[in-house]
Amino acid sequence: MKIMNRFIGALALLLAGSSAAFAAEPEVSLTYTLPSTTISLTVEAVQENFYAGPYARFAEKYLGITAPVADRVVCHIRKVSMTPLIEADQKARRSLPAACDLEDRNILALTSAGLMSVENGSFGAERVWRFPAPSAADFSGRGLSSNLKSESATLYGVSKRNTSRIILQKMTKEKTLEQKAEEAAAMILALREKRLQIITGDTDATYSGEAMGAAIEELHALEKEYLSLFIGYTECQEQTMNFDVVPQTGNERQIMVAFRLSDKEGLMPADRETGRPVVMEIVPDQMETAPLSREEAKVRAPKNSVYVHYRMPATCTVNILAEGRLLLQGRLPIFQMGTEAVLPVQLKK
């Protein structure tokens, strides 16, 4: 019985403490958040896959040109655009007391004055697209030369009467890589000569008007196909991704990695270890006049009013730099880097 009485007494004390704790919490009639700015970057990149030609090392010998002999992949940024998006700053939650009854509640919908309004916010759509799997070089359909060649071999045989005789035998062998390159180079020179003959009229056939244009275009296409066996060819792939950067408070000047760029993987988030960093630099303008402090606002505030917090955004110069080169520069309003002030609002009578 004593144990039961002690338990009931402890429970009563716990409930009383809980009631006191709840009673200590201030009652609020409305909670709102101040706005923050997120900078959304839309980046377009191009990945160039170069495939060296199989006859690249013979290009200088037979054509007098220098051609790269190794494959390579290069990715570069083609376009960058940035858009400021307004979001609710959950670290800056404000509230009004329960007894507060504003004369005009529309004051809380003024996003331009630094108050959060969902219907006026800008929430971007996510768009992500990655490069497809890299393909291999394909020169199989280029060129018209055969892979085999015929050779005549002279054999010496001995007859049953011990007399020698000469035997001619044709043999088929596979052409070497250099022999194929020599034939392809000869075809390129022949195509160039034929095109020159058509242009100058030094040919038995007569070409005029559209027929001449079509013939020259076809010869040019054939030459380009054969030439790719020496100088190689390039395939391009495009990529578009969005990156959101949230400027932090407390620093007058901010430098952060916005995203990264890799030749093989393309565009990547800033937290990846590989890839070349693309940097965002934010420099706020110097404010000429400071906002009113809360004490100054209280002096000018009329009676029977409450104070609503709001933010005045800082106008900042935003630079996007890649390897020290300026890609984009613009001026954007950034709320969280601005100043917070209070606005006296009249209560209902």
Side-chain angles (χ1 to χ4, degrees):
M1 189 65 178
K2 293 181 179 180
I3 296 176
M4 181 61 68
N5 291 335
R6 290 177 181 176
F7 175 76
I8 294 175
L11 181 60
L13 291 175
L14 179 62
L15 292 176
S18 301
S19 301
F22 281 115
E25 292 291 334
E27 296 182 0
V28 296
S29 61
L30 177 63
T31 300
Y32 61 96
T33 61
L34 299 183
S36 65
T37 302
T38 297
I39 302 176
S40 178
L41 299 177
T42 301
V43 187
E44 297 180 9
V46 177
Q47 186 188 58
E48 298 180 354
N49 294 273
F50 172 77
Y51 303 104
Y55 309 152
R57 58 193 180 98
F58 305 109
E60 187 173 1
K61 180 178 180 179
Y62 293 110
L63 295 175
I65 60 176
T66 303
V69 296
D71 297 347
R72 66 174 182 268
V73 181
V74 178
C75 187
H76 59 88
I77 298 174
R78 183 173 63 182
K79 181 181 178 181
V80 179
S81 60
M82 59 182 177
T83 305
L85 306 180
I86 300 176
E87 297 180 341
D89 188 354
Q90 298 299 331
K91 297 179 181 179
R93 298 173 64 90
R94 303 292 182 264
S95 60
L96 297 176
C100 175
D101 193 4
L102 298 180
E103 182 74 25
D104 185 7
R105 286 184 174 268
N106 292 328
I107 190 66
L108 296 179
L110 298 179
T111 302
S112 58
L115 301 172
M116 189 58 207
S117 175
V118 176
E119 59 270 17
N120 291 337
S122 178
F123 304 93
E126 182 181 11
R127 291 178 295 171
V128 178
W129 189 84
R130 299 296 300 175
F131 286 139
S135 57
D138 184 13
F139 293 93
S140 59
R142 301 170 188 261
L144 301 174
S145 60
S146 173
N147 192 44
L148 303 176
K149 67 175 182 177
S150 297
E151 293 182 349
S152 297
T154 303
L155 304 178
Y156 296 91
V158 180
S159 63
K160 294 180 179 181
R161 299 179 181 181
N162 293 327
T163 59
S164 62
R165 60 175 181 173
I166 299 175
I167 303 174
L168 297 178
Q169 183 178 356
K170 290 186 177 181
M171 302 176 61
T172 302
K173 293 184 177 181
E174 183 179 355
K175 297 176 183 178
T176 63
L177 189 64
E178 185 173 359
Q179 289 172 339
K180 296 178 185 178
E182 184 180 2
E183 290 186 1
M187 180 63 72
I188 292 173
L189 298 177
L191 291 171
R192 292 176 179 176
E193 183 179 0
K194 187 65 176 178
R195 186 173 61 214
L196 180 61
Q197 291 175 352
I198 294 176
I199 294 174
T200 58
D202 186 16
T203 178
D204 296 335
T206 302
Y207 296 91
S208 62
E210 295 182 0
M212 177 180 288
I216 293 175
E217 184 178 353
E218 186 64 25
L219 289 173
H220 179 72
L222 287 173
E223 179 188 349
K224 184 178 179 181
E225 182 177 329
Y226 273 97
L227 196 60
S228 67
L229 297 172
F230 292 90
I231 64 175
Y233 69 96
T234 302
E235 289 183 350
C236 296
Q237 302 179 82
E238 298 179 356
Q239 180 188 28
T240 301
M241 290 191 68
N242 280 13
F243 300 96
D244 292 336
V245 181
V246 182
Q248 302 300 320
T249 58
N251 297 327
E252 293 184 358
R253 180 173 179 176
Q254 299 187 25
I255 299 178
M256 65 196 77
V257 177
F259 59 93
R260 295 182 181 270
L261 181 67
S262 171
D263 288 333
K264 293 185 178 181
E265 300 183 35
L267 298 170
M268 299 185 301
D271 56 359
R272 295 286 293 273
E273 297 181 357
T274 58
R276 303 184 298 274
V278 178
V279 177
M280 175 182 291
E281 180 186 32
I282 303 176
V283 182
D285 292 351
Q286 297 294 329
M287 297 188 63
E288 296 181 358
T289 58
L292 292 177
S293 63
R294 184 160 185 170
E295 287 72 18
E296 292 174 325
K298 283 183 177 180
V299 174
R300 293 173 172 82
K303 296 181 179 180
N304 195 28
S305 63
V306 294
Y307 300 94
V308 177
H309 292 253
Y310 68 98
R311 274 179 175 170
M312 292 188 296
T315 302
C316 303
T317 300
V318 181
N319 301 319
I320 307 296
L321 304 105
E323 299 179 348
R325 181 169 59 95
L326 181 64
L327 300 181
L328 179 65
Q329 184 182 75
R331 291 172 58 81
L332 300 178
I334 300 179
F335 279 95
Q336 61 269 36
M337 295 185 66
T339 56
E340 182 177 340
V342 291
L343 176 69
V345 180
Q346 188 73 28
L347 299 176
K348 288 184 178 180
K349 297 180 181 180

